[in-house]
């Protein structure tokens, strides 16, 4: 067993993916709190907006590592979510700071449902990715 750059990429991807899973769980819980009127929209948006860019950058980091290490399948699996993140950030509401969530429109039932569904889908994607990265790491370590 040799430790190579693809193995390093998968190890970093596993660690980063654990953080992304945490961000997605926080996202789902935050929108559930909004739906049940446990917190007000301004506080929720102030807690969610600072996490948007770190999530996107962490996701981009692991894909840059996959690109540099030549792990094409793992990269291709992540490309649709990267494109969605780019689209989502480009079409965000006009705001003074970074982030996606506007406190004035977040309580709209349609927006709230879409944001909650987005959180669940990202959580499922990151969980499946975790096991894909774990499998990829084992394959790379055994093959070397």
């Amino acid at each position: 067993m040799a430790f190579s750059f693809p193995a390093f990429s998968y190890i970093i991807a596993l660690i980063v993916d654990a953080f992304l899973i945490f961000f997605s769980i926080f996202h789902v819980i935050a929108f559930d709190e909004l739906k049940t009127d446990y917190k007000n929209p301004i506080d929720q948006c102030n807690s969610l907006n600072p996490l948007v860019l770190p999530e996107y950058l962490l996701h981009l980091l692991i894909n840059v590592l996959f690109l540099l290490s030549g792990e094409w399948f793992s990269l291709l699996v992540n490309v649709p979510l990267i494109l969605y993140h780019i689209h989502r950030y480009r079409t965000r509401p006009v705001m003074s700071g970074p982030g996606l969530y506007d406190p004035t429109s977040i309580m709209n039932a349609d927006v709230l449902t879409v944001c909650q569904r987005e959180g669940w889908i990202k959580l499922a994607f990151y969980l499946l990715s975790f096991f894909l990265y774990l499998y990829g790491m084992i394959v790379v370590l055994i093959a070397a």
Side-chain angles (χ1 to χ4, degrees):
M1 282 197 301
F3 190 75
S4 60
F5 187 67
F8 172 75
S9 299
Y10 277 115
I11 291 170
I12 296 298
L14 283 168
I15 294 167
V16 167
D17 200 45
F19 283 104
L20 294 174
I21 290 169
F22 170 75
F23 286 164
S24 296
I25 290 171
F26 184 76
H27 185 100
V28 168
I29 291 170
F31 282 106
D32 187 53
E33 287 176 345
L34 267 178
K35 199 173 196 177
T36 59
D37 291 331
Y38 184 69
K39 270 188 151 177
N40 68 28
I42 296 172
D43 290 340
Q44 280 301 28
C45 290
N46 287 339
S47 66
L48 286 172
N49 280 334
L51 298 177
V52 171
L53 288 180
E55 176 192 353
Y56 289 2
L57 292 175
L58 286 173
H59 189 236
L60 193 61
L61 168 74
I62 60 176
N63 288 292
V64 167
L65 288 174
F66 288 148
L67 178 67
L68 294 176
S69 64
E71 294 299 319
W72 305 115
F73 181 73
S74 296
L75 180 66
L76 288 175
V77 167
N78 284 292
V79 166
L81 187 58
I82 292 171
L83 294 175
Y84 176 74
H85 283 162
I86 292 169
H87 168 73
R88 180 90 161 97
Y89 201 77
R90 289 187 65 202
T91 59
R92 70 188 179 118
V94 177
M95 297 177 0
S96 61
L100 296 174
Y101 308 109
D102 181 26
T104 59
S105 64
I106 200 73
M107 287 305 289
N108 182 353
D110 295 335
V111 174
L112 191 59
T113 303
V114 166
C115 290
Q116 199 168 22
R117 187 175 301 133
E118 176 187 45
W120 281 109
I121 291 171
K122 281 185 181 182
L123 179 60
F125 179 84
Y126 291 141
L127 282 171
L128 291 173
S129 295
F130 184 83
F131 292 110
L132 173 72
Y133 302 155
L134 187 62
Y135 176 77
M137 182 189 69
I138 291 169
V139 167
V140 166
L141 286 174
I142 290 175

